[in-house]
Amino acid sequence: MIRREGLMKNFVYIVIAVIGLLVFIGGVYKLYQVGVNQESENAKKTLELIMAKVEALPEGSTNLFSFQGFSKKDWYLVGWNEADAGKPEKCLRSCLCLCKGASVGACDSREGFCRAANLFVNVSSSYLHSTPEAIEEEIASSSGGRGVKTIEVIVVQSVGCVKIPSNLFELNVSKSKTQIDISRANLKDVDPWGEHALCSIIR
Amino acid sequence: MKMQYIRGELSSVQIITLVLTIAGLAIILIFLGLLYADDGQQDRELCKLSVLTRATAPMTFQALVPLKCATEKICITGKGECPQFAGEKNVRKVRLRGDDLVQRKLIEETMANAMYDCWNVMGRGKLNIFGTASDYYGVGSGNPTCVVCSRVAFNAINKNISSIVDIDAYLQSANVPGTQRTYVNIFQGESGVQTFAAVEKLNKENGFTLPVDENIKLQASPDGGQVAFVFSQVKVSDTSAALAHFGVAAAGATFAIPGAAKVGSALFLRNPVSLGAGLALGGLAAGGVAYNNWQSKQAAAGYCGELTTSAGDDKENMKNGCSVVQGVLYNVQDINMLCPGSIQGNP
């Protein structure tokens, strides 16, 4: 009898311990998942907000809108049109996508979000890029003649996507009867790593 | 009389243990449910809860705790909708009614509350909210990281009202709803540091220059006429120079920590940036109000000192920091000067 009571007591404690442990493990897992997914959630919201602003913009007008970036540094806004080859499978017609990573595969992954657009979509960004350029010039030496000198030249480059920063950014949106143009100009800072250039992999 | 026990019956101790355990589990589940609830349920309390969770989480896991703080959108309007929020959801509309004085009070109250809520929800600047999270997100701990608590947009505001609104004065004289303390008093915290005099003195003697938004262009864009209440925090080993990280630079002003504000004290800074210019843009769009009337009529609340973090964190250089809540124009230039690190929370 005593042994049975002891077993019963232990059984209750074991059940409580197992439930507690499961809740704890579940909580930790959920915490990890949500922490990781927070970025995706923000990306989705940002894309929806961009689409909402585009839709709210009257035909034939242009405007500058501010959007809140999010923390990771490798999210890209890209646009595809119906006739484009090699577009993501998610994008059936014209669409606007926000993807983690500069590849079509990234847009097709769980961390890629696309929204269909009824008009032709054109996304672009221009940025400053430093590039070495060789110039031929007179060299002051005993032998005289001409030599080649390399200098860093800052050029404006334009690519077919927008890299999302970690803080506030502006998009210039213009809408016509047939087309939506979304562009970002960052002509203040030189992009030393050519991060924007990764856009060319997608588009 | 001898008590009779039925075989397998639970004792009172077991029942109490069981009830307490179930209650504990229920509390944990409700907490987790709230923390990971859908967007519709996100509110100030949820944000506060996530802030507390992150601040008390072990440093290693801090980055994994999401900040469930969505930017509140407030439209102060004399008539119609605020075009600044076109296409956006969950916009709280504050309709201006009554005479000029009533409308003025409503604007001042709305903005003071937005600032206070931001300060309060973020732990009054004393919690280490970003900690290792700022490193995780690739911005480093040397740059201020921000949360945009609210965006306040203005539409169709009468020019008479825009010229008399003085948020700074309101913060000094009005009590926080439900308390017997003024906003300024609460911003100053327990330290009771009165920094008005210090700032004034600094202004005259040490070259503290009031910001002047000379470059503000009048624009009728949907993004014009918007002010954001932003919470920013920076981790530094030396708090004496920390406020220089914030910037007051946002409006091109030079800045120094007031003498009265020692490490660990709360501050109330007067006129660090020109909030009024944002109002002016809204006002201008509505009726040509000169923004000069609005200049330098806002304040910021700040705290510098040891930030509360999870137990066992013994990294000295991670303990100190400064936090500031201030209203800035919602544009890339001003916001990014204040938040060169990153912006966290939900847009």
Side-chain angles (χ1 to χ4, degrees), chain B residues 271-306:
Chain B
N271 304 329
V273 292
S274 177
L275 173 73
L279 279 163
L281 289 175
L284 279 163
V289 183
Y291 78 84
N292 286 334
N293 292 329
W294 293 82
Q295 272 191 341
S296 307
K297 287 189 179 176
Q298 73 95 46
Y303 169 86
C304 269
E306 194 171 305

PDB file of all heavy atoms in Angstrom, chain B residues 271-306:
ATOM      1  N   ASN B 271      15.259  72.059 -25.757  1.00  0.00           N
ATOM      2  CA  ASN B 271      15.596  72.555 -27.094  1.00  0.00           C
ATOM      3  C   ASN B 271      16.728  71.852 -27.822  1.00  0.00           C
ATOM      4  O   ASN B 271      17.536  72.496 -28.471  1.00  0.00           O
ATOM      5  CB  ASN B 271      15.973  74.039 -27.038  1.00  0.00           C
ATOM      6  CG  ASN B 271      14.883  74.859 -26.431  1.00  0.00           C
ATOM      7  OD1 ASN B 271      13.719  74.516 -26.562  1.00  0.00           O
ATOM      8  ND2 ASN B 271      15.255  75.928 -25.771  1.00  0.00           N
ATOM      9  N   PRO B 272      16.886  70.537 -27.706  1.00  0.00           N
ATOM     10  CA  PRO B 272      17.995  69.949 -28.437  1.00  0.00           C
ATOM     11  C   PRO B 272      17.777  69.931 -29.951  1.00  0.00           C
ATOM     12  O   PRO B 272      18.718  70.041 -30.705  1.00  0.00           O
ATOM     13  CB  PRO B 272      18.087  68.540 -27.898  1.00  0.00           C
ATOM     14  CG  PRO B 272      16.756  68.249 -27.370  1.00  0.00           C
ATOM     15  CD  PRO B 272      16.130  69.532 -26.978  1.00  0.00           C
ATOM     16  N   VAL B 273      16.593  69.741 -30.360  1.00  0.00           N
ATOM     17  CA  VAL B 273      16.329  69.808 -31.795  1.00  0.00           C
ATOM     18  C   VAL B 273      15.029  70.547 -32.023  1.00  0.00           C
ATOM     19  O   VAL B 273      14.243  70.729 -31.125  1.00  0.00           O
ATOM     20  CB  VAL B 273      16.197  68.414 -32.469  1.00  0.00           C
ATOM     21  CG1 VAL B 273      17.514  67.699 -32.480  1.00  0.00           C
ATOM     22  CG2 VAL B 273      15.132  67.604 -31.794  1.00  0.00           C
ATOM     23  N   SER B 274      14.836  70.906 -33.227  1.00  0.00           N
ATOM     24  CA  SER B 274      13.635  71.657 -33.512  1.00  0.00           C
ATOM     25  C   SER B 274      12.512  70.752 -33.967  1.00  0.00           C
ATOM     26  O   SER B 274      12.481  70.289 -35.084  1.00  0.00           O
ATOM     27  CB  SER B 274      13.923  72.677 -34.604  1.00  0.00           C
ATOM     28  OG  SER B 274      12.734  73.330 -34.910  1.00  0.00           O
ATOM     29  N   LEU B 275      11.678  70.443 -33.033  1.00  0.00           N
ATOM     30  CA  LEU B 275      10.533  69.602 -33.343  1.00  0.00           C
ATOM     31  C   LEU B 275       9.495  70.379 -34.132  1.00  0.00           C
ATOM     32  O   LEU B 275       8.840  69.865 -35.013  1.00  0.00           O
ATOM     33  CB  LEU B 275       9.908  69.145 -32.025  1.00  0.00           C
ATOM     34  CG  LEU B 275       8.603  68.388 -32.071  1.00  0.00           C
ATOM     35  CD1 LEU B 275       8.835  66.993 -32.568  1.00  0.00           C
ATOM     36  CD2 LEU B 275       7.980  68.347 -30.704  1.00  0.00           C
ATOM     37  N   GLY B 276       9.427  71.608 -33.785  1.00  0.00           N
ATOM     38  CA  GLY B 276       8.376  72.440 -34.344  1.00  0.00           C
ATOM     39  C   GLY B 276       8.386  72.528 -35.846  1.00  0.00           C
ATOM     40  O   GLY B 276       7.346  72.700 -36.475  1.00  0.00           O
ATOM     41  N   ALA B 277       9.559  72.363 -36.415  1.00  0.00           N
ATOM     42  CA  ALA B 277       9.634  72.484 -37.861  1.00  0.00           C
ATOM     43  C   ALA B 277       8.737  71.469 -38.541  1.00  0.00           C
ATOM     44  O   ALA B 277       8.192  71.726 -39.599  1.00  0.00           O
ATOM     45  CB  ALA B 277      11.075  72.325 -38.313  1.00  0.00           C
ATOM     46  N   GLY B 278       8.627  70.283 -37.917  1.00  0.00           N
ATOM     47  CA  GLY B 278       7.755  69.250 -38.485  1.00  0.00           C
ATOM     48  C   GLY B 278       6.319  69.695 -38.469  1.00  0.00           C
ATOM     49  O   GLY B 278       5.577  69.538 -39.431  1.00  0.00           O
ATOM     50  N   LEU B 279       5.954  70.252 -37.359  1.00  0.00           N
ATOM     51  CA  LEU B 279       4.601  70.783 -37.257  1.00  0.00           C
ATOM     52  C   LEU B 279       4.393  71.870 -38.291  1.00  0.00           C
ATOM     53  O   LEU B 279       3.357  71.969 -38.924  1.00  0.00           O
ATOM     54  CB  LEU B 279       4.403  71.402 -35.871  1.00  0.00           C
ATOM     55  CG  LEU B 279       4.073  70.445 -34.732  1.00  0.00           C
ATOM     56  CD1 LEU B 279       4.309  71.123 -33.422  1.00  0.00           C
ATOM     57  CD2 LEU B 279       2.652  69.989 -34.856  1.00  0.00           C
ATOM     58  N   ALA B 280       5.434  72.638 -38.446  1.00  0.00           N
ATOM     59  CA  ALA B 280       5.319  73.751 -39.368  1.00  0.00           C
ATOM     60  C   ALA B 280       5.070  73.272 -40.787  1.00  0.00           C
ATOM     61  O   ALA B 280       4.304  73.875 -41.523  1.00  0.00           O
ATOM     62  CB  ALA B 280       6.578  74.591 -39.327  1.00  0.00           C
ATOM     63  N   LEU B 281       5.716  72.163 -41.125  1.00  0.00           N
ATOM     64  CA  LEU B 281       5.504  71.658 -42.482  1.00  0.00           C
ATOM     65  C   LEU B 281       4.047  71.292 -42.685  1.00  0.00           C
ATOM     66  O   LEU B 281       3.458  71.586 -43.699  1.00  0.00           O
ATOM     67  CB  LEU B 281       6.398  70.437 -42.732  1.00  0.00           C
ATOM     68  CG  LEU B 281       7.884  70.738 -42.857  1.00  0.00           C
ATOM     69  CD1 LEU B 281       8.665  69.441 -42.988  1.00  0.00           C
ATOM     70  CD2 LEU B 281       8.151  71.606 -44.074  1.00  0.00           C
ATOM     71  N   GLY B 282       3.500  70.644 -41.649  1.00  0.00           N
ATOM     72  CA  GLY B 282       2.087  70.297 -41.730  1.00  0.00           C
ATOM     73  C   GLY B 282       1.242  71.548 -41.797  1.00  0.00           C
ATOM     74  O   GLY B 282       0.301  71.664 -42.560  1.00  0.00           O
ATOM     75  N   GLY B 283       1.639  72.493 -40.969  1.00  0.00           N
ATOM     76  CA  GLY B 283       0.912  73.745 -40.922  1.00  0.00           C
ATOM     77  C   GLY B 283       1.005  74.487 -42.238  1.00  0.00           C
ATOM     78  O   GLY B 283       0.020  75.015 -42.729  1.00  0.00           O
ATOM     79  N   LEU B 284       2.192  74.442 -42.799  1.00  0.00           N
ATOM     80  CA  LEU B 284       2.387  75.157 -44.057  1.00  0.00           C
ATOM     81  C   LEU B 284       1.549  74.564 -45.170  1.00  0.00           C
ATOM     82  O   LEU B 284       0.948  75.265 -45.953  1.00  0.00           O
ATOM     83  CB  LEU B 284       3.870  75.110 -44.440  1.00  0.00           C
ATOM     84  CG  LEU B 284       4.710  76.143 -43.699  1.00  0.00           C
ATOM     85  CD1 LEU B 284       6.167  75.766 -43.798  1.00  0.00           C
ATOM     86  CD2 LEU B 284       4.489  77.525 -44.275  1.00  0.00           C
ATOM     87  N   ALA B 285       1.552  73.237 -45.158  1.00  0.00           N
ATOM     88  CA  ALA B 285       0.768  72.565 -46.191  1.00  0.00           C
ATOM     89  C   ALA B 285      -0.693  72.972 -46.049  1.00  0.00           C
ATOM     90  O   ALA B 285      -1.436  73.067 -46.995  1.00  0.00           O
ATOM     91  CB  ALA B 285       0.919  71.065 -46.070  1.00  0.00           C
ATOM     92  N   ALA B 286      -1.059  73.239 -44.799  1.00  0.00           N
ATOM     93  CA  ALA B 286      -2.454  73.545 -44.561  1.00  0.00           C
ATOM     94  C   ALA B 286      -2.782  75.016 -44.697  1.00  0.00           C
ATOM     95  O   ALA B 286      -3.898  75.386 -44.961  1.00  0.00           O
ATOM     96  CB  ALA B 286      -2.838  73.075 -43.170  1.00  0.00           C
ATOM     97  N   GLY B 287      -1.813  75.847 -44.482  1.00  0.00           N
ATOM     98  CA  GLY B 287      -2.210  77.245 -44.545  1.00  0.00           C
ATOM     99  C   GLY B 287      -1.105  78.269 -44.414  1.00  0.00           C
ATOM    100  O   GLY B 287      -1.364  79.389 -44.002  1.00  0.00           O
ATOM    101  N   GLY B 288       0.115  77.880 -44.692  1.00  0.00           N
ATOM    102  CA  GLY B 288       1.194  78.854 -44.755  1.00  0.00           C
ATOM    103  C   GLY B 288       1.650  79.435 -43.441  1.00  0.00           C
ATOM    104  O   GLY B 288       1.787  80.642 -43.298  1.00  0.00           O
ATOM    105  N   VAL B 289       1.877  78.585 -42.468  1.00  0.00           N
ATOM    106  CA  VAL B 289       2.372  79.065 -41.183  1.00  0.00           C
ATOM    107  C   VAL B 289       3.888  79.161 -41.237  1.00  0.00           C
ATOM    108  O   VAL B 289       4.554  78.275 -41.751  1.00  0.00           O
ATOM    109  CB  VAL B 289       1.994  78.069 -40.069  1.00  0.00           C
ATOM    110  CG1 VAL B 289       2.446  78.586 -38.726  1.00  0.00           C
ATOM    111  CG2 VAL B 289       0.506  77.843 -40.089  1.00  0.00           C
ATOM    112  N   ALA B 290       4.436  80.193 -40.695  1.00  0.00           N
ATOM    113  CA  ALA B 290       5.889  80.311 -40.694  1.00  0.00           C
ATOM    114  C   ALA B 290       6.463  79.357 -39.660  1.00  0.00           C
ATOM    115  O   ALA B 290       6.008  79.325 -38.529  1.00  0.00           O
ATOM    116  CB  ALA B 290       6.284  81.729 -40.347  1.00  0.00           C
ATOM    117  N   TYR B 291       7.418  78.559 -40.061  1.00  0.00           N
ATOM    118  CA  TYR B 291       7.915  77.556 -39.123  1.00  0.00           C
ATOM    119  C   TYR B 291       8.748  78.159 -38.019  1.00  0.00           C
ATOM    120  O   TYR B 291       9.010  77.543 -37.016  1.00  0.00           O
ATOM    121  CB  TYR B 291       8.678  76.449 -39.847  1.00  0.00           C
ATOM    122  CG  TYR B 291      10.083  76.776 -40.275  1.00  0.00           C
ATOM    123  CD1 TYR B 291      11.140  76.643 -39.398  1.00  0.00           C
ATOM    124  CD2 TYR B 291      10.334  77.180 -41.568  1.00  0.00           C
ATOM    125  CE1 TYR B 291      12.426  76.933 -39.803  1.00  0.00           C
ATOM    126  CE2 TYR B 291      11.608  77.468 -41.978  1.00  0.00           C
ATOM    127  CZ  TYR B 291      12.660  77.348 -41.085  1.00  0.00           C
ATOM    128  OH  TYR B 291      13.925  77.628 -41.482  1.00  0.00           O
ATOM    129  N   ASN B 292       9.171  79.390 -38.175  1.00  0.00           N
ATOM    130  CA  ASN B 292       9.935  80.044 -37.124  1.00  0.00           C
ATOM    131  C   ASN B 292       9.187  80.032 -35.793  1.00  0.00           C
ATOM    132  O   ASN B 292       9.770  79.965 -34.739  1.00  0.00           O
ATOM    133  CB  ASN B 292      10.213  81.503 -37.501  1.00  0.00           C
ATOM    134  CG  ASN B 292      11.283  81.568 -38.568  1.00  0.00           C
ATOM    135  OD1 ASN B 292      12.100  80.671 -38.672  1.00  0.00           O
ATOM    136  ND2 ASN B 292      11.254  82.607 -39.375  1.00  0.00           N
ATOM    137  N   ASN B 293       7.894  80.100 -35.901  1.00  0.00           N
ATOM    138  CA  ASN B 293       7.086  80.115 -34.692  1.00  0.00           C
ATOM    139  C   ASN B 293       7.212  78.819 -33.904  1.00  0.00           C
ATOM    140  O   ASN B 293       6.928  78.769 -32.732  1.00  0.00           O
ATOM    141  CB  ASN B 293       5.607  80.313 -35.052  1.00  0.00           C
ATOM    142  CG  ASN B 293       5.376  81.692 -35.605  1.00  0.00           C
ATOM    143  OD1 ASN B 293       6.068  82.622 -35.224  1.00  0.00           O
ATOM    144  ND2 ASN B 293       4.430  81.824 -36.502  1.00  0.00           N
ATOM    145  N   TRP B 294       7.608  77.776 -34.598  1.00  0.00           N
ATOM    146  CA  TRP B 294       7.641  76.470 -33.960  1.00  0.00           C
ATOM    147  C   TRP B 294       9.030  76.071 -33.515  1.00  0.00           C
ATOM    148  O   TRP B 294       9.203  75.084 -32.842  1.00  0.00           O
ATOM    149  CB  TRP B 294       7.133  75.428 -34.942  1.00  0.00           C
ATOM    150  CG  TRP B 294       5.706  75.591 -35.253  1.00  0.00           C
ATOM    151  CD1 TRP B 294       5.156  76.436 -36.150  1.00  0.00           C
ATOM    152  CD2 TRP B 294       4.638  74.889 -34.642  1.00  0.00           C
ATOM    153  NE1 TRP B 294       3.801  76.292 -36.145  1.00  0.00           N
ATOM    154  CE2 TRP B 294       3.459  75.352 -35.241  1.00  0.00           C
ATOM    155  CE3 TRP B 294       4.561  73.896 -33.654  1.00  0.00           C
ATOM    156  CZ2 TRP B 294       2.213  74.858 -34.873  1.00  0.00           C
ATOM    157  CZ3 TRP B 294       3.331  73.412 -33.310  1.00  0.00           C
ATOM    158  CH2 TRP B 294       2.166  73.907 -33.919  1.00  0.00           C
ATOM    159  N   GLN B 295       9.961  76.826 -33.952  1.00  0.00           N
ATOM    160  CA  GLN B 295      11.325  76.408 -33.682  1.00  0.00           C
ATOM    161  C   GLN B 295      11.640  76.335 -32.203  1.00  0.00           C
ATOM    162  O   GLN B 295      11.175  77.128 -31.409  1.00  0.00           O
ATOM    163  CB  GLN B 295      12.297  77.378 -34.329  1.00  0.00           C
ATOM    164  CG  GLN B 295      12.609  76.976 -35.738  1.00  0.00           C
ATOM    165  CD  GLN B 295      13.742  77.771 -36.283  1.00  0.00           C
ATOM    166  OE1 GLN B 295      14.058  78.826 -35.762  1.00  0.00           O
ATOM    167  NE2 GLN B 295      14.355  77.272 -37.308  1.00  0.00           N
ATOM    168  N   SER B 296      12.494  75.389 -31.902  1.00  0.00           N
ATOM    169  CA  SER B 296      13.042  75.265 -30.543  1.00  0.00           C
ATOM    170  C   SER B 296      11.979  75.184 -29.468  1.00  0.00           C
ATOM    171  O   SER B 296      12.131  75.723 -28.399  1.00  0.00           O
ATOM    172  CB  SER B 296      13.957  76.452 -30.248  1.00  0.00           C
ATOM    173  OG  SER B 296      14.909  76.560 -31.260  1.00  0.00           O
ATOM    174  N   LYS B 297      10.882  74.558 -29.800  1.00  0.00           N
ATOM    175  CA  LYS B 297       9.849  74.428 -28.774  1.00  0.00           C
ATOM    176  C   LYS B 297       9.625  72.965 -28.435  1.00  0.00           C
ATOM    177  O   LYS B 297       8.521  72.480 -28.390  1.00  0.00           O
ATOM    178  CB  LYS B 297       8.556  75.064 -29.263  1.00  0.00           C
ATOM    179  CG  LYS B 297       8.621  76.573 -29.282  1.00  0.00           C
ATOM    180  CD  LYS B 297       7.271  77.152 -29.566  1.00  0.00           C
ATOM    181  CE  LYS B 297       7.340  78.659 -29.555  1.00  0.00           C
ATOM    182  NZ  LYS B 297       6.074  79.261 -29.927  1.00  0.00           N
ATOM    183  N   GLN B 298      10.682  72.243 -28.242  1.00  0.00           N
ATOM    184  CA  GLN B 298      10.519  70.863 -27.836  1.00  0.00           C
ATOM    185  C   GLN B 298      11.678  70.433 -26.970  1.00  0.00           C
ATOM    186  O   GLN B 298      12.648  71.133 -26.814  1.00  0.00           O
ATOM    187  CB  GLN B 298      10.373  69.958 -29.041  1.00  0.00           C
ATOM    188  CG  GLN B 298      11.629  69.722 -29.827  1.00  0.00           C
ATOM    189  CD  GLN B 298      12.326  68.458 -29.418  1.00  0.00           C
ATOM    190  OE1 GLN B 298      11.687  67.427 -29.277  1.00  0.00           O
ATOM    191  NE2 GLN B 298      13.614  68.537 -29.200  1.00  0.00           N
ATOM    192  N   ALA B 299      11.533  69.276 -26.403  1.00  0.00           N
ATOM    193  CA  ALA B 299      12.524  68.839 -25.440  1.00  0.00           C
ATOM    194  C   ALA B 299      12.875  67.382 -25.654  1.00  0.00           C
ATOM    195  O   ALA B 299      12.260  66.695 -26.443  1.00  0.00           O
ATOM    196  CB  ALA B 299      11.950  69.036 -24.052  1.00  0.00           C
ATOM    197  N   ALA B 300      13.878  66.925 -24.937  1.00  0.00           N
ATOM    198  CA  ALA B 300      14.246  65.523 -24.975  1.00  0.00           C
ATOM    199  C   ALA B 300      14.461  65.050 -23.554  1.00  0.00           C
ATOM    200  O   ALA B 300      14.851  65.819 -22.688  1.00  0.00           O
ATOM    201  CB  ALA B 300      15.519  65.338 -25.781  1.00  0.00           C
ATOM    202  N   ALA B 301      14.166  63.775 -23.325  1.00  0.00           N
ATOM    203  CA  ALA B 301      14.428  63.209 -22.012  1.00  0.00           C
ATOM    204  C   ALA B 301      15.568  62.231 -22.161  1.00  0.00           C
ATOM    205  O   ALA B 301      15.635  61.499 -23.147  1.00  0.00           O
ATOM    206  CB  ALA B 301      13.188  62.501 -21.494  1.00  0.00           C
ATOM    207  N   GLY B 302      16.462  62.233 -21.215  1.00  0.00           N
ATOM    208  CA  GLY B 302      17.612  61.351 -21.346  1.00  0.00           C
ATOM    209  C   GLY B 302      18.039  60.748 -20.026  1.00  0.00           C
ATOM    210  O   GLY B 302      17.671  61.222 -18.950  1.00  0.00           O
ATOM    211  N   TYR B 303      18.812  59.677 -20.124  1.00  0.00           N
ATOM    212  CA  TYR B 303      19.372  59.054 -18.935  1.00  0.00           C
ATOM    213  C   TYR B 303      20.765  58.575 -19.299  1.00  0.00           C
ATOM    214  O   TYR B 303      20.975  57.975 -20.351  1.00  0.00           O
ATOM    215  CB  TYR B 303      18.512  57.877 -18.487  1.00  0.00           C
ATOM    216  CG  TYR B 303      19.180  57.024 -17.424  1.00  0.00           C
ATOM    217  CD1 TYR B 303      19.080  57.360 -16.083  1.00  0.00           C
ATOM    218  CD2 TYR B 303      19.920  55.895 -17.776  1.00  0.00           C
ATOM    219  CE1 TYR B 303      19.708  56.590 -15.119  1.00  0.00           C
ATOM    220  CE2 TYR B 303      20.547  55.120 -16.817  1.00  0.00           C
ATOM    221  CZ  TYR B 303      20.441  55.470 -15.487  1.00  0.00           C
ATOM    222  OH  TYR B 303      21.070  54.712 -14.537  1.00  0.00           O
ATOM    223  N   CYS B 304      21.707  58.849 -18.435  1.00  0.00           N
ATOM    224  CA  CYS B 304      23.068  58.379 -18.627  1.00  0.00           C
ATOM    225  C   CYS B 304      23.513  57.664 -17.375  1.00  0.00           C
ATOM    226  O   CYS B 304      23.347  58.196 -16.274  1.00  0.00           O
ATOM    227  CB  CYS B 304      24.016  59.547 -18.886  1.00  0.00           C
ATOM    228  SG  CYS B 304      24.190  59.915 -20.621  1.00  0.00           S
ATOM    229  N   GLY B 305      24.076  56.515 -17.530  1.00  0.00           N
ATOM    230  CA  GLY B 305      24.580  55.810 -16.364  1.00  0.00           C
ATOM    231  C   GLY B 305      24.580  54.326 -16.568  1.00  0.00           C
ATOM    232  O   GLY B 305      24.595  53.840 -17.702  1.00  0.00           O
ATOM    233  N   GLU B 306      24.527  53.607 -15.455  1.00  0.00           N
ATOM    234  CA  GLU B 306      24.564  52.154 -15.545  1.00  0.00           C
ATOM    235  C   GLU B 306      23.202  51.647 -16.006  1.00  0.00           C
ATOM    236  O   GLU B 306      22.173  52.064 -15.489  1.00  0.00           O
ATOM    237  CB  GLU B 306      24.908  51.560 -14.176  1.00  0.00           C
ATOM    238  CG  GLU B 306      25.298  50.110 -14.262  1.00  0.00           C
ATOM    239  CD  GLU B 306      25.849  49.578 -12.952  1.00  0.00           C
ATOM    240  OE1 GLU B 306      26.812  50.168 -12.425  1.00  0.00           O
ATOM    241  OE2 GLU B 306      25.302  48.573 -12.471  1.00  0.00           O
TER     242      GLU B 306
END
